[in-house]
Amino acid sequence: NHTIAIIKGHESYELLKSSCSTIFEQVNKLVKDKSIEVNGISIPVELYLGGDYKFLLLMMGMKGATSDYACIWCKVHKKDRCDVSKHQDFYWENLTRSIEDIFQCALKRNYSCEYKPLLNIPLCNVVLDELHLMLRVTDKLTKNLVINAIENDRRENLNKRPMDRSNKNLDALIKCIRSCGISFNVWEKAEEDCRGGLYDFTSLMGSDKRLLLKTLPSKLATILPDNTSGTIVRLWQAVNWVNLFLSMNGKNLGYEPARITPYMHAMVYHVPRFMQKHEGIKKFTGQGVEKLNDDCRRVHLQRSNKWDAPKDVLLVGKRVEHLSDCERLTRPYQKRNTDYWDNTIKDSRSKRPRVSTQINEEPEVDLESLTASQMKQKLKELGILTKLRRLQKLKELLRESLQNKENQPNNI
């Protein structure tokens, strides 16, 4: 992966068109010629386009993922995406799109086509990024777990006094996800109108998502209601996916037909065609591009003087590329005990003493057995000087002082 352009501004069709017009012209010429000449030899070229869904929609001149006809490869309406009774090639045979069709629809502004495509690459070569496919689908599943845990807590706390209310379902979910070795939390978002009820959760990276898919399904049965746990576990295991997703409609929140996203539709009806045509979609993964994006951000934040950040990023990237052969080789390491890194290390870390658990609680003071002088000494240790002499007054003052000390937060 190589950086060929850095654009400062919002991600939009107009910005891409004006900033990369020269690049797009050259690419479209290659698409048309289908070959490139190198040293007098004509070499056939076939171009592919990949990326996250928002980027692909922008490149195709289409509206956002929430529009009525948001699928890049077919003209299915968003209300019909939940219908998975069609055969595998139905949308490729009946409602399929093409570059020429998108051009025509853009002129009429229908089927969610707003502008002309920036690249003339055939749609069969426009492949969805498997990294974002996994991330977005697991995001939806994780969000549904969170909102249902919150809803279950709300129902259980409905007729309880405020002091008796708890978030046991949400706490159990957070604890379950953390037990997979993932840092995870849920918090209530603060709104401008000071109204609550909206929650957000930790955004997980690709490695965390893979770990979650591997370890969480076997633990979900312990925290989910018996009537839905089996279906949700199979849903996380991706068995007959969309049908299982829709089968939870009416039982849990977040599983309505309208929740079937373009990613889910593409996973059922378009990704299998890509798998057959290209022998898998792993080769189109966006992990390298995302890593390159992280490197560019790191250069901008840590190595740039912010005067001409795009220039600095390109120069540093090219310098690193030229010096890549000079890097020190990493020492080969072979894991002798693979189970240690999966389980043993987590167990050993969980047994380490925490600072919060090392607080030595002072023994309770028996006020009834203390004399007046002993009570004054105790008060003096607490930083309180008094001229009281009556035993009862001293006892009340000492009891109040000890209670105030217990209520003070421990600064560790």
Side-chain angles (χ1 to χ4, degrees), residues 162-192:
M163 62 181 298
D164 296 331
R165 294 172 185 172
S166 65
N167 297 321
K168 66 175 185 179
N169 292 288
L170 183 60
D171 293 340
L173 175 63
I174 295 174
K175 183 179 179 181
C176 182
I177 294 178
R178 287 177 178 175
S179 68
C180 299
I182 297 170
S183 178
F184 186 80
N185 205 356
V186 179
W187 61 91
E188 188 172 4
K189 294 193 293 186
E191 296 296 315
E192 295 181 357

Side-chain angles (χ1 to χ4, degrees), residues 41-60:
I41 302 174
S42 180
I43 301 175
V45 174
E46 186 175 7
L47 297 179
Y48 293 84
L49 177 64
D52 62 80
Y53 207 80
K54 180 181 179 181
F55 173 74
L56 294 179
L57 287 172
L58 289 176
M59 296 301 294
M60 292 296 107

Side-chain angles (χ1 to χ4, degrees), residues 371-373 376 386-394:
T371 62
S373 59
K376 285 190 175 183
T386 179
K387 294 182 179 180
L388 295 175
R389 294 183 179 180
R390 291 184 59 184
L391 187 63
Q392 187 63 29
K393 292 288 185 180
L394 288 171

